Amino acid sequence: MKAYECIYEAGEDAFVNVYWAETPGKAKSQALYDDELGDPDCFTDIYVRRAPWADKLEHASEYTFLLESLRQGWIYDWYDDELRKDRYLDEEAVPVLEQVGSLENYWKLYDEGKIKLDAKGIPTLVK
């Protein structure tokens, strides 16, 4: 299977996800019915492109996929309803994520003040 990034833009929001399929059209078909890709009205609302960097990640852990997608320039930006906090990750977080070993550890240490952002917004593990 080949990996494809499917993108759907709705106003200011952009949704991107990777799907593994035999063809771009089959990847789009998967994306059309995936709630994580927003709410596209039709097949043609979804843009698709090859993502060869993800070909071997179909069965990878979420954490491994997260690290690789960040290395590819993906940005994760969301609001944590439970904690009532904005969350943001980009490729600058990869070294610290690798040091702490999981996304859960990253946010735990961040919330405890043990991960700080420098003047450029780059996260650093504080000891």
Side-chain angles (χ1 to χ4, degrees):
M1 294 282 200
K2 294 181 180 178
Y4 296 91
E5 290 180 348
C6 290
I7 301 111
Y8 167 64
E9 294 182 2
E12 294 181 13
D13 295 325
F15 302 89
V16 181
N17 209 348
V18 171
Y19 301 90
W20 289 267
E22 295 172 5
T23 66
K26 288 182 180 180
K28 272 178 121 174
S29 292
Q30 291 176 41
L32 184 61
Y33 299 104
D34 183 359
D35 292 338
E36 289 185 20
L37 200 72
D39 191 20
D41 292 326
C42 62
F43 193 76
T44 56
D45 289 344
I46 301 169
Y47 171 75
V48 64
R49 66 179 173 213
R50 271 286 283 131
W53 61 269
D55 281 347
K56 295 185 173 145
L57 297 175
E58 183 174 6
H59 302 291
S61 69
E62 284 185 40
Y63 180 68
T64 298
F65 183 84
L66 171 73
L67 292 175
E68 292 306 316
S69 62
L70 288 169
R71 287 185 183 105
Q72 294 300 314
W74 282 33
I75 294 172
Y76 292 85
D77 185 7
W78 73 99
Y79 184 76
D80 187 326
D81 291 324
E82 185 178 318
L83 297 175
R84 296 183 179 164
K85 292 182 179 183
D86 287 318
R87 298 294 195 190
Y88 178 88
L89 288 173
D90 63 15
E91 63 189 316
E92 300 291 353
V94 170
V96 176
L97 278 163
E98 290 177 325
Q99 285 180 309
V100 301
S102 74
L103 185 59
E104 293 78 17
N105 286 345
Y106 180 92
W107 289 121
K108 179 179 180 276
L109 293 168
Y110 183 88
D111 291 340
E112 292 173 355
K114 295 178 181 170
I115 293 176
K116 300 275 188 187
L117 301 179
D118 69 11
K120 295 180 181 179
I122 299 171
T124 307
L125 188 58
V126 180
K127 300 200 180 201

